[in-house]
Amino acid sequence: MTDETLEIVVLAELKAKPDANAAEIDEAIADWVEWVRENEQGTLIYSAHRSKRDPSKIVFYEAYRRQDALDAHSQSSAFKEFGRKIVNYIDPGATKIEQFSLIAGVTGITERTVESPTMPDEVPPRD
C-alpha cells in the first residue's frame, strides 16, 4: 500500500557535543518542533528522538506531503534560525541528512482488538 499523501521522508541524525547541556538541546528542539506544528501545513510528521543507547545521538524523523513542503520548511527563516541555535550544541561534522521515498506503509494505525484462535494469550520468552 502506498499513501498518496506522503511523498518524502527525511532522517536527520545529529550528534551532541560532549559538553552540550541535554536539557538546553531538548528545549531548543521542543520549541522548534512546536513552531513546525503550528506553521507548516505540508509537514505530516516532525519528531525528534534521542538514542537510548547513545544519548548524544538525536534523530529527526520528518514526513512531507510534497517536495514543495520540504522546500518551504528548509528555506524558511525559522529553520535557519533554529540551525544557528542548535549548531552551538551539536557537532556539524557528524550531521547526516538523507531523503527517502515511500515504498509502502501504513498511517493512522489505531489500537484495535483482534481475536484469533491461533494467537496465544502470552508469547513465550525467547531462548
Side-chain angles (χ1 to χ4, degrees):
M1 176 194 114
T2 60
D3 186 340
E4 299 301 322
T5 65
L6 181 94
E7 184 173 311
I8 298 169
V9 165
V10 175
L11 292 180
E13 182 180 312
L14 288 67
K15 181 94 170 157
K17 292 177 181 176
D19 61 343
N21 182 308
E24 290 177 8
I25 294 171
D26 292 354
E27 183 179 352
I29 290 172
D31 290 347
W32 167 238
V33 171
E34 181 63 20
W35 187 93
V36 169
R37 186 185 71 75
E38 292 177 359
N39 293 282
E40 295 187 0
Q41 309 300 32
T43 302
L44 301 171
I45 300 170
Y46 198 88
S47 59
H49 308 267
R50 184 178 302 281
S51 171
K52 290 183 177 185
R53 193 171 20 165
D54 177 1
S56 69
K57 186 177 182 180
I58 299 166
V59 175
F60 283 81
Y61 177 80
E62 310 168 24
Y64 299 91
R65 197 174 304 280
R66 297 174 310 279
Q67 182 65 45
D68 61 338
L70 172 56
D71 294 343
H73 167 79
S74 60
Q75 295 169 10
S76 72
S77 59
F79 177 77
K80 292 172 185 168
E81 178 61 31
F82 172 69
R84 285 190 288 275
K85 182 182 247 184
I86 201 71
V87 77
N88 295 316
Y89 303 106
I90 64 161
D91 174 2
T95 298
K96 300 174 189 172
I97 301 173
E98 189 170 354
Q99 290 186 23
F100 297 84
S101 297
L102 181 68
I103 295 171
V106 177
T107 60
I109 297 175
T110 59
E111 190 174 321
R112 57 183 171 242
T113 304
V114 177
E115 294 183 29
S116 170
T118 61
M119 289 292 291
D121 290 336
E122 293 184 28
V123 177
R126 289 186 169 181
D127 294 329

